[in-house]
Amino acid sequence: MRATAMTTTAILWLSGIASIALLPIVNAADVTCQGGTFNANLFPKVTFTQHPSIQATAFGNNLGNCQSADLKITGGSFNFAGYGPGVCTGALSRGSTAGVDVFWNDGTKSSASQMNYYLELGTWSFNGVLKGRFEGKTIRATGRCTKPGSDIGLECIKGGFSQYPATMDSLVVG
């Protein structure tokens, strides 16, 4: 009888550990989005001569698969604008004068200004501190340009590069 009680206790204890192992892992971030788009327009066109202020505007119509700590946010869209120097042989556009408005699927909005951003041949990123929904939290986003570097180089040779099609790898708030 005692062996049966010990065996039953062991099985229940082990099944409790197995149940805990099956629980979803909760991210420490308030929102995490994987996938999406980031398509930027650059003006004036980026050339081999550095321009002191390239305007970069981007729209992300799909934030992809989003998960939030409160389970209310599953997606959204955003508008991005930044100004900074740019040249074909370095950062296409970069600076600390940028802003983003994020429109979440639950009808709320987050905004950031005075953000840092980088648009390079292969990758892009931005980060800043939010106002509105998630006030005071940091927003960070990264992704990859989908246009081959050889095409960008050819456009630079032919008078300038102005279209920056890209994917969003991740957007994190927290």
Side-chain angles (χ1 to χ4, degrees), residues 79-139:
N79 297 331
F80 167 88
Y83 303 89
V87 64
C88 281
T89 56
L92 300 172
S93 186
R94 62 173 165 56
S96 59
T97 307
V100 68
D101 291 321
V102 181
F103 304 95
W104 303 109
N105 67 287
D106 68 349
T108 60
K109 176 182 168 185
S110 299
S111 298
S113 60
Q114 297 300 76
M115 296 175 39
N116 293 314
Y117 80 98
Y118 301 91
L119 299 180
E120 298 173 343
L121 282 178
T123 61
W124 65 269
S125 67
F126 66 72
N127 65 73
V129 178
L130 291 173
K131 294 185 187 256
R133 174 107 190 238
F134 306 113
E135 181 92 25
K137 301 285 184 160
T138 300
I139 185 170

Side-chain angles (χ1 to χ4, degrees), residues 7-20:
T7 302
T8 303
T9 302
I11 290 171
L12 290 173
W13 185 79
L14 289 173
S15 66
I17 290 176
S19 297
I20 291 170

Side-chain angles (χ1 to χ4, degrees), residues 18-26:
S19 297
I20 291 170
L22 295 175
L23 290 175
I25 296 172
V26 177

